[in-house]
Amino acid sequence: MVRVGIGYDVHALVAGRKLVLGGVTIPHSKGLDGHSDADVLMHAVCDAILGALGEGDIGHFFPNTDPRWRGAPSRVFLEEAARQVASRQGRIVNVDSTLVAEAPRINPHIQEMKSRIAEALGVGPDRVGIKTTTNERMGFIGREEGIAAMAVAGVDLPA
Ligand code: MG
């Protein structure tokens, strides 16, 4: 039985932080603020997979009050989501995602981001979709105050 899940995340862009998207550090004047590395794309993908399982969200598994996750690479969150799938004898069918960012240009990094997400989930990169769009200069994303990501996941679980 294939189940689907949805994930959404947003983080603020601030000076003095690295910008990590899909596990790739991208040169930029600002980075995303957060307790972990604030990888908004990996967080959305993680929530999509957990949602397909009917599980709690990323904050349930990794509370941002827990010092263990301070500065943590978000890969560990995806690895845990994949473990949750495996523990149910399930299989990740695919994930698809959209990053909404006004800057910087993300397209040159998409293949590497797909590889990093696929590695963390233990699936082939052909099962990971990443699209990017701007917010047409509107709102907080358009003003480059933050970056948002949304994702869906299909997970095949034994009936
Ligand atoms: Mg987050």
Side-chain angles (χ1 to χ4, degrees):
M1 181 174 53
V2 174
R3 299 172 36 162
V4 297
I6 185 173
Y8 173 81
D9 197 25
V10 59
H11 283 262
L13 275 169
V14 296
R17 291 267 301 181
K18 281 194 305 184
L19 178 61
V20 182
L21 294 171
V24 178
T25 301
I26 297 175
H28 192 46
S29 54
K30 297 186 274 189
L32 294 174
D33 198 18
H35 186 69
S36 66
D37 65 5
D39 188 331
V40 69
L41 178 59
M42 282 196 171
H43 293 185
V45 169
C46 187
D47 269 355
I49 293 166
L50 294 173
L53 300 177
E55 269 294 348
D57 68 5
I58 189 170
H60 169 80
F61 285 90
F62 303 100
N64 63 12
T65 49
D66 188 330
R68 273 182 301 170
W69 315 123
R70 188 187 305 282
S74 295
R75 165 177 43 81
V76 302
F77 307 154
L78 286 185
E79 288 167 354
E80 176 59 27
R83 261 195 301 277
Q84 291 290 326
V85 172
S87 73
R88 292 163 175 76
Q89 283 74 52
R91 193 176 56 90
I92 295 167
V93 178
N94 76 309
V95 300
D96 190 22
S97 61
T98 299
L99 255 176
V100 191
E102 208 63 41
R105 280 196 66 230
I106 293 164
N107 274 344
H109 306 283
I110 282 186
Q111 287 309 323
E112 194 181 352
M113 290 157 65
K114 280 187 186 187
S115 298
R116 297 285 174 87
I117 291 172
E119 270 168 31
L121 294 176
V123 302
D126 60 315
R127 291 178 183 262
V128 178
I130 302 173
K131 289 92 60 199
T132 64
T133 185
T134 71
N135 219 36
E136 299 288 346
R137 296 253 147 235
M138 293 180 289
F140 72 89
I141 295 172
R143 291 189 298 270
E144 300 182 35
E145 295 167 5
I147 290 178
M150 55 195 95
V152 293
V155 177
D156 195 6
L157 290 177

